[in-house]
Amino acid sequence: GHHPADERATMADASPLLARDERDAEADGAVPLAPAAAASPTAAAAREEGQVEERGREAMIEVARGAWPQIVVIAVRTTITVTDTAVVGQLGTPELAATAFATMIIQVTGVIVWSLGDGLISLTSQAMGAGNRRLAGVWLQIALVMSVILSIPIAISWLYMGEILRIVRFPGSKAEDDRVIELAAQFGRLSTIWIVPDAITASYCQWVNGLDAVAATVGVQVAFVFYNIVANIVLVHGVHWGNFHLEGMGLPGSPIATASTTILRLVVLVWYMRDKLPKGVWNGFDPSEFTRDRWMNFLKQSIPNALIALLEQAQFIVMALMIAKFGEAQLAAHSA
């Protein structure tokens, strides 16, 4: 039989051989195997670091996915404004200076109603996260009513844009000054056509953003940028192609083109998104849902955003007013 003493003797005889093999391996440059227990903390830390990096990448992708459609929507509004200035500027220095002054008043007053939708995004997202789709629709109703109410005093300020601008005087002749102010006043009066549909569009787009469906509107938004360019060129400068001649309207053509862009864009957006919104978010207007608490909640979310946007616009207004003191040509160059 096999005796334990024989086994111990065999292991003892093998020990010098094992030690010699390990010394030979070290001499050959081989690295001895580390105990498994010693390697585990390092491996766990590496795995945890990899998981943190992966979560960071996923978060960045999620933020970019949600942000890029909103960036496009903002860029569309800016591009439409720039288009008006660029097209009208081809008529001459007085027209360009007048457009710059009119745009200045339009931006600093209009931003109040346009920024209401920033609070609407968070309120809508909260309602959807809580599973209350009906409330998400109520927030849009409140935003629309507020937008229309605020559009009234804004439109009045645009109607009296000439009187507002008379507080600023160019160092040039009075005739030049009056010409620019009259053109700016004309631009402001015609711009009142699109203030209400534009305010409604701004609230609607921010609401759709809160529903996480704004990406579907990007195609429509971009299409109307190109439409606005064409409409401005045709209505301001006319069309002259071969024997076909269509005289342009000059400066008045620009706000009329913008009005057509704004109204058609609103109609197309609402029609296009009718089957792409989550079910149950819109059940028509119901004034009984407009409780005092909801109004106060909406104002708490919206007023700070409006004030911040107003201050941002004020910086550019102050700069434009300072440049205007040097003359209409300098203001036109600044606007260009």
Side-chain angles (χ1 to χ4, degrees):
H2 186 72
H3 197 276
D6 296 334
E7 184 174 311
R8 287 193 297 273
T10 302
M11 292 177 62
D13 293 339
S15 296
L17 296 174
L18 291 173
R20 187 166 60 251
D21 291 340
E22 290 179 359
R23 287 195 300 271
D24 293 340
E26 291 177 359
D28 293 337
V31 179
L33 295 176
S40 57
T42 304
R47 286 195 300 271
E48 183 177 353
E49 183 178 353
Q51 292 172 356
V52 170
E53 291 179 354
E54 181 63 25
R55 289 195 294 269
R57 284 193 295 269
E58 292 176 354
M60 290 180 64
I61 292 173
E62 186 66 20
V63 170
R65 187 185 69 83
W68 76 264
Q70 182 63 13
I71 293 173
V72 172
V73 172
I74 295 173
V76 165
R77 178 180 297 281
T78 304
T79 304
I80 289 176
T81 301
V82 172
T83 299
D84 295 346
T85 304
V87 174
V88 173
Q90 302 298 317
L91 296 173
T93 299
E95 287 80 4
L96 180 56
T99 304
F101 263 128
T103 301
M104 179 179 68
I105 300 298
I106 288 171
Q107 292 292 326
V108 77
T109 54
V111 73
I112 298 173
V113 68
W114 297 329
S115 59
L116 286 177
D118 294 339
L120 181 60
I121 296 176
S122 58
L123 291 171
T124 304
S125 298
Q126 292 169 11
M128 293 298 291
N132 193 342
R133 296 190 173 190
R134 182 179 181 84
L135 180 59
V138 171
W139 290 130
L140 174 62
Q141 297 174 44
I142 292 175
L144 293 177
V145 172
M146 180 61 71
S147 296
V148 172
I149 292 174
L150 289 178
S151 295
I152 296 173
I154 293 173
I156 292 174
S157 70
W158 294 4
L159 287 172
Y160 291 93
M161 188 174 293
E163 285 69 16
I164 294 173
L165 290 176
R166 292 188 191 282
I167 63 174
V168 179
R169 285 290 175 183
F170 300 123
S173 68
K174 186 177 185 302
E176 292 173 342
D177 197 354
D178 290 340
R179 171 65 175 161
V180 171
I181 291 177
E182 180 54 37
L183 289 172
Q186 188 179 32
F187 193 100
R189 288 193 298 269
L190 291 172
S191 294
T192 58
I193 301 172
W194 55 262
I195 176 60
V196 171
D198 193 60
I200 293 174
T201 301
S203 293
Y204 182 79
C205 288
Q206 299 293 55
W207 179 65
V208 171
N209 191 8
L211 297 175
D212 197 24
V214 71
T217 69
V218 169
V220 175
Q221 298 278 9
V222 173
F224 273 96
V225 168
F226 293 100
Y227 169 84
N228 186 64
I229 293 173
V230 174
N232 262 273
I233 293 173
V234 171
L235 293 180
V236 173
H237 297 287
V239 178
H240 303 280
W241 186 31
N243 295 325
F244 179 78
H245 296 281
L246 177 65
E247 293 300 323
M249 301 171 63
L251 183 140
S254 182
I256 293 175
T258 302
S260 69
T261 299
T262 305
I263 295 170
L264 288 175
R265 183 179 57 172
L266 174 60
V267 172
V268 172
L269 275 173
V270 174
W271 176 82
Y272 180 73
M273 293 297 295
R274 69 192 189 285
D275 297 326
K276 295 177 174 58
L277 298 176
K279 301 296 183 183
V281 295
W282 181 256
N283 300 287
F285 271 95
D286 187 358
S288 64
E289 298 281 0
F290 299 173
T291 63
R292 182 179 181 277
D293 289 341
R294 286 173 179 168
W295 274 108
M296 295 303 298
N297 195 5
F298 180 83
L299 292 175
K300 287 178 182 178
Q301 292 283 344
S302 302
I303 290 176
N305 292 318
L307 292 177
I308 292 172
L310 183 61
L311 289 174
E312 290 176 349
Q313 286 295 325
Q315 300 176 48
F316 300 103
I317 300 307
V318 171
M319 183 180 297
L321 289 174
M322 292 176 63
I323 294 174
K325 291 298 184 180
F326 293 100
E328 67 177 47
Q330 286 79 2
L331 178 61
H334 170 70
S335 302

